[in-house]
Amino acid sequence: MNGDFMAATLHDVARIAGVSIKTVSNVINDYPHIRPTTKQRVLDAIAELDYRPNLSARSLRSGRTGVIGLAVPELSLSYFAELADAVIRSAERHGVTVLIEQTGGDRAREVELLTSPRRQLTDGLIFSALGMDSDDSEYLRVGYPLVLLGERIFGGPTDHVTMRNVDAARAATEHLIALGRRRIAVVGAHEGEVIGSAGLRLRGYREALEAAGIPFDPALIGYTTLWHRSNGADAMRALLASGVDFDAVFGLNDTLTLGAMRVLQEAGLRIPKDVAAIGFDDLDEAQYSLPTLTTIDPGREEIAETAVRVLLERIASTDLALPPREILADFRIVERESTAHAAA
Amino acid sequence: MNGDFMAATLHDVARIAGVSIKTVSNVINDYPHIRPTTKQRVLDAIAELDYRPNLSARSLRSGRTGVIGLAVPELSLSYFAELADAVIRSAERHGVTVLIEQTGGDRAREVELLTSPRRQLTDGLIFSALGMDSDDSEYLRVGYPLVLLGERIFGGPTDHVTMRNVDAARAATEHLIALGRRRIAVVGAHEGEVIGSAGLRLRGYREALEAAGIPFDPALIGYTTLWHRSNGADAMRALLASGVDFDAVFGLNDTLTLGAMRVLQEAGLRIPKDVAAIGFDDLDEAQYSLPTLTTIDPGREEIAETAVRVLLERIASTDLALPPREILADFRIVERESTAHAAA
DNA sequence: ACGTTTACCTACAACGTTGTAAACGCGTCG
DNA sequence: CGACGCGTTTACAACGTTGTAGGTAAACGT
């Protein structure tokens, strides 16, 4: 239509509408005191020129970008993909965009990311830490709004949204105990870890055993370094090879559990008859495995929703001294076939 | 350390180093003609102040943001999560950041996204279309570098990176035929679609049948609207309910196939003995299902890598008239248990 | 020795927006 | 009738960077 490819600016709109650029800016920013006729003229001009504000200029001037960052270990891990999905949806409802970064769960990269120049592209960051731990807490004292997810650091200097790992893991274990299982194997523990998802979930497991008067047997604990599907499979193979006797397995997340179930079935064991199984995360996948997987819904949607809301509140707030908040999402057990009562 | 929280600017660095701001700018941008001693003084000042360029200002002035967009239907679909992972990794190697948008596969949202003001935050877009079709091709004639992924539009005005859908689907079907299967069901076809992943893969299927002299039987085609796991399960339930006889199933993607396999096994059918199964995508998951899933690796890594490279070339190029490129990734069959030869 | 290139550096003006301060017109009040 | 307040609008100066054009020495060619 038009040979000129330059995007329209406030000046162009102002010229067409016969007002100053500041009036156009005011119209765009919903400044209240504008005569309706003037406003209409400006809106017409905006429509005519198909004007769009230059976001770089706006953010240079105002210091806000309208973008929030989301740092996760790896998108190819379903949990984080589904988390990212939820965060993006929630951000969209609030009119902001999400910039995703992957850390690979590597501590050095996590630390680096916190001070990367890329942070300038965002007004704040939702940060799912996997490699850092409580000793690194001071790195979180950054100059921008930061909401922490995950279980690696508690009591840090920032807002923290997370799940009830211990309670949920205890509930999961109690669920197995209620089925009459007493020899409950664990898949995905991390050697010597007391904090972090693995450490906390293992704690919940031990609490449930203790409450039921079942002795803790270290031989039942399957350790892994990562929480990929293959790690669950490997850990289960090791348990089977060790010859230890068990009638249930608590996988510290769904992915691990699905890998472990695969190995159990290969070995000719029936789920839940010989070995009952429960996972953690409530991935979409858990409802289509064979058998379908009983699991913990840790409140992922709620976590995403809350993290975005809290972050945007921080961004909007002028009160920098607002004390950090610790927010826990509700969990629930999702019962499926892998813990169904044996039909006689 | 410092009571002053304002970030350092070029002016501050210039003052400390005793040079003009332009010289500092030149140092940062690797301008060649700078005296080594001057350069060192500037670098020292940068280090002392922990100076980081203001990216908004830079992008306002230069028109570049260092960010590329990636639009996918949904991150919670494993294929797109794994694609996003690959794109982010590749972008990182090239020093750019990725901003992810979800379209939900909705045509209207896809069209809208192409002209959203958010495009200003990015230098270009990698766009995985799912709702738009060839009729919408003109919407792709946008004023910024755009690389199209997916199978919805061919011969459009932009660079296009995609997979060999027809060839790969034909190979998959031939693989089943080579096992001696003649009654091959399909899961995930889209009613009346000739283009798009579903249409193309179905075409490959028909070509393979024809080449083998096997008549096409419409009763064997399971239609779905979406490609979620539940759709695969539903389609398979419908096939079983219809009473049609089949000895193999080609799921048009892995997720569908896994859903279908679940239903087959529930119905007491053995895989691959009674029904062989092959999928498409080579998700991580395919190597841990029971049985493990034979599938097509459509070259996802290569697609991500190429898309980023081609996009960055476009961004860097001054030649706007460069003709659009059509690039096809190589595929390969990944053989696993779901098509193993019956051991008699 | 003198013009001309080369290496290095700088002043200035943009990029397009928003915050500040102030001006304008008009009705209202003392 | 002049002062004041209010609704409406505007001029101007930033925000921090890079492109342009130019300036000053030193190095070079003749």
Side-chain angles (χ1 to χ4, degrees):
Chain A
M1 336 285 181
N2 190 331
D4 190 6
F5 276 58
M6 293 303 296
T9 72
L10 283 183
H11 285 92
D12 302 324
V13 176
R15 192 161 23 79
I16 302 273
V19 296
S20 75
I21 60 164
K22 184 67 224 221
T23 297
V24 180
S25 172
N26 285 338
V27 168
I28 290 167
N29 294 288
D30 285 324
Y31 179 75
H33 302 303
I34 303 173
R35 205 195 317 263
T37 56
T38 310
K39 182 165 184 168
Q40 194 52 54
R41 248 184 316 138
V42 169
L43 291 176
D44 290 348
I46 287 176
E48 179 183 344
L49 295 175
D50 190 26
Y51 166 79
R52 287 136 203 274
N54 179 311
L55 300 180
S56 295
R58 177 177 281 180
S59 98
L60 170 60
R61 181 61 239 232
S62 70
R64 292 279 171 79
T65 65
V67 179
I68 61 176
L70 171 68
V72 294
E74 232 184 295
L75 275 184
S76 56
L77 297 175
S78 298
Y79 178 79
F80 294 109
E82 296 188 14
L83 178 69
D85 180 334
V87 167
I88 292 174
R89 278 180 212 280
S90 175
E92 185 150 355
R93 278 193 292 277
H94 289 93
V96 302
T97 316
V98 178
L99 195 143
I100 296 187
E101 314 233 25
Q102 298 193 116
T103 63
D106 180 63
R107 179 184 166 281
R109 291 190 55 199
E110 288 180 351
V111 170
E112 188 194 333
L113 188 133
L114 289 170
T115 57
S116 148
R118 301 221 260 238
R119 294 281 63 71
Q120 298 204 3
L121 293 168
T122 59
D123 295 335
L125 179 68
I126 296 177
F127 179 46
S128 183
L130 196 60
M132 293 171 64
D133 60 31
S134 289
D135 294 345
D136 299 317
S137 168
E138 282 306 306
Y139 286 112
L140 298 178
R141 207 173 288 285
V142 293
Y144 52 86
L146 175 64
V147 172
L148 183 68
L149 304 183
E151 279 62 59
R152 302 290 303 175
I153 301 174
F154 285 86
T158 67
D159 292 327
H160 185 198
V161 180
T162 185
M163 52 186 71
R164 302 185 172 277
N165 280 282
V166 179
D167 296 344
R170 187 171 53 225
T173 311
E174 283 165 354
H175 188 71
L176 295 172
I177 294 173
L179 295 175
R181 312 291 166 132
R182 316 273 302 173
R183 304 280 305 160
I184 303 173
V186 168
V187 165
H190 289 173
E191 200 83 48
E193 184 183 290
V194 292
I195 208 144
S197 309
L200 297 172
R201 293 177 195 175
L202 190 62
R203 167 133 62 99
Y205 163 82
R206 295 191 64 158
E207 287 183 10
L209 291 189
E210 190 161 355
I214 302 174
F216 172 74
D217 181 354
L220 287 170
I221 310 302
Y223 293 94
T224 68
T225 48
L226 297 176
W227 278 5
H228 287 246
R229 197 178 305 258
S230 56
N231 303 110
D234 292 345
M236 181 50 72
R237 258 190 287 272
L239 281 170
L240 291 176
S242 77
V244 66
D245 177 53
F246 58 93
D247 53 15
V249 58
F250 173 25
L252 298 190
N253 84 356
D254 282 355
T255 308
L256 283 165
T257 315
L258 292 165
M261 278 171 48
R262 154 78 181 159
V263 169
L264 281 170
Q265 291 172 307
E266 260 176 0
L269 292 162
R270 287 155 304 176
I271 304 172
K273 194 160 191 295
D274 301 320
V275 178
I278 192 165
F280 203 113
D281 278 352
D282 193 25
L283 297 185
D284 183 48
E285 204 181 330
Q287 44 185 320
Y288 294 99
S289 57
L290 182 67
T292 56
L293 178 60
T294 297
T295 185
I296 300 286
D297 170 4
R300 186 175 49 246
E301 284 287 334
E302 185 188 343
I303 289 173
E305 190 79 38
T306 308
V308 171
R309 186 169 45 72
V310 167
L311 183 63
L312 294 180
E313 283 169 15
R314 279 283 167 190
I315 291 170
S317 165
T318 49
D319 183 2
L320 293 165
L322 225 61
R325 283 189 281 177
E326 195 86 27
I327 299 172
L328 293 171
D330 287 334
F331 71 92
R332 69 194 174 87
I333 294 188
V334 184
E335 289 194 51
R336 301 210 182 87
E337 295 164 359
S338 68
T339 59
H341 283 82
Chain B
M1 335 285 185
N2 191 330
D4 191 6
F5 275 60
M6 292 303 297
T9 73
L10 282 183
H11 285 92
D12 303 323
V13 176
R15 192 161 23 79
I16 302 272
V19 297
S20 75
I21 60 164
K22 185 66 225 230
T23 296
V24 180
S25 172
N26 284 339
V27 168
I28 291 168
N29 293 287
D30 286 325
Y31 179 75
H33 301 305
I34 303 174
R35 204 194 318 262
T37 57
T38 312
K39 182 164 182 171
Q40 194 52 53
R41 245 181 320 137
V42 169
L43 291 175
D44 290 347
I46 287 176
E48 178 183 343
L49 295 175
D50 191 26
Y51 165 79
R52 285 135 204 275
N54 179 310
L55 300 181
S56 296
R58 177 177 281 179
S59 99
L60 170 60
R61 182 62 240 230
S62 70
R64 292 281 171 78
T65 65
V67 179
I68 61 175
L70 171 67
V72 294
E74 233 183 295
L75 276 185
S76 56
L77 297 175
S78 299
Y79 177 80
F80 294 110
E82 297 189 13
L83 178 69
D85 180 334
V87 167
I88 292 174
R89 279 179 212 279
S90 175
E92 185 149 354
R93 279 193 291 278
H94 289 93
V96 302
T97 316
V98 178
L99 196 144
I100 295 187
E101 314 234 24
Q102 298 193 115
T103 63
D106 180 64
R107 180 183 166 282
R109 292 191 54 198
E110 288 180 350
V111 170
E112 189 194 332
L113 189 134
L114 289 171
T115 57
S116 149
R118 302 221 260 238
R119 294 281 62 69
Q120 298 204 4
L121 293 169
T122 59
D123 295 335
L125 180 68
I126 297 177
F127 179 47
S128 182
L130 195 61
M132 292 171 65
D133 60 32
S134 288
D135 294 346
D136 299 316
S137 166
E138 282 305 306
Y139 287 112
L140 298 178
R141 207 172 288 285
V142 293
Y144 53 85
L146 175 63
V147 172
L148 182 68
L149 304 184
E151 280 61 58
R152 301 291 302 176
I153 301 173
F154 284 85
T158 68
D159 292 327
H160 186 196
V161 180
T162 186
M163 53 186 72
R164 303 186 171 276
N165 279 282
V166 178
D167 295 344
R170 187 172 52 225
T173 311
E174 283 165 354
H175 188 70
L176 295 171
I177 293 172
L179 295 175
R181 314 290 167 134
R182 315 277 299 175
R183 304 280 304 160
I184 304 173
V186 168
V187 165
H190 289 172
E191 200 84 48
E193 184 184 290
V194 292
I195 208 143
S197 309
L200 297 172
R201 293 177 195 174
L202 190 63
R203 167 133 61 100
Y205 163 81
R206 295 191 64 158
E207 286 182 10
L209 290 189
E210 191 160 354
I214 303 173
F216 172 75
D217 181 354
L220 286 169
I221 309 302
Y223 293 95
T224 68
T225 48
L226 297 176
W227 277 6
H228 288 247
R229 197 177 305 258
S230 58
N231 302 111
D234 292 344
M236 181 49 73
R237 259 189 286 273
L239 281 171
L240 292 176
S242 77
V244 66
D245 177 54
F246 58 94
D247 54 17
V249 58
F250 173 26
L252 298 189
N253 84 357
D254 283 355
T255 308
L256 283 165
T257 315
L258 292 165
M261 277 171 48
R262 153 80 181 158
V263 169
L264 281 170
Q265 291 172 306
E266 260 176 1
L269 292 162
R270 287 156 305 175
I271 303 171
K273 194 161 191 293
D274 301 320
V275 179
I278 191 165
F280 203 114
D281 277 352
D282 193 25
L283 298 185
D284 183 47
E285 205 181 330
Q287 43 186 321
Y288 294 98
S289 58
L290 182 67
T292 56
L293 179 60
T294 297
T295 185
I296 300 287
D297 169 3
R300 188 174 48 246
E301 284 287 333
E302 184 187 344
I303 288 173
E305 189 79 37
T306 307
V308 170
R309 186 170 44 73
V310 168
L311 182 63
L312 293 179
E313 283 169 14
R314 278 283 169 191
I315 290 171
S317 164
T318 49
D319 182 2
L320 294 163
L322 225 62
R325 283 188 283 176
E326 195 88 28
I327 299 171
L328 293 171
D330 287 333
F331 70 92
R332 69 197 173 87
I333 295 189
V334 184
E335 288 194 53
R336 299 209 184 89
E337 295 164 359
S338 68
T339 58
H341 282 83

